[in-house]
Amino acid sequence: MSVTSIVTTYSVTGMTCGHCAAAVSEEISRLPVVTSVDADAPSGRVAVTSTGELDDAAIQAAVEEAGYTLTGRL
C-alpha cells in the first residue's frame, strides 16, 4: 500500500531571508501528516507536502508561532 503525498501551497507575509523561511518550515514541520516544507522567503510561498489533508488553522497557528502571517492558500 503506497502513501499518497499532497502538496498544498500557502502565501506567507513577513519572510525576508533564509532564516525566516527556516523558522516557518520548522514550525510547520512539527504538525502531524506533514512530511516536508519548502518555504521561499522572496516569493512568500510555502509548499507543504503531507500524507493527508492539512488543517489550515493549524498551519496558520504554526506560521504565527514563527512570527509571520499566513494570508491563504495559493
Side-chain angles (χ1 to χ4, degrees):
M1 179 175 166
S2 66
V3 176
T4 303
S5 290
I6 302 167
V7 178
T8 308
T9 305
Y10 294 92
S11 177
V12 174
T13 59
M15 296 188 300
T16 59
C17 64
H19 176 76
C20 299
V24 169
S25 295
E26 182 179 332
E27 288 298 331
I28 294 174
S29 292
R30 295 178 180 174
L31 298 174
V33 308
V34 172
T35 56
S36 70
V37 181
D38 181 22
D40 182 62
S43 69
R45 290 178 183 252
V46 179
V48 181
T49 304
S50 62
T51 57
E53 280 298 315
L54 295 170
D55 177 356
D56 288 342
I59 296 291
Q60 181 174 359
V63 170
E64 288 175 358
E65 179 67 26
Y68 305 94
T69 303
L70 179 74
T71 57
R73 287 189 187 211
L74 296 177

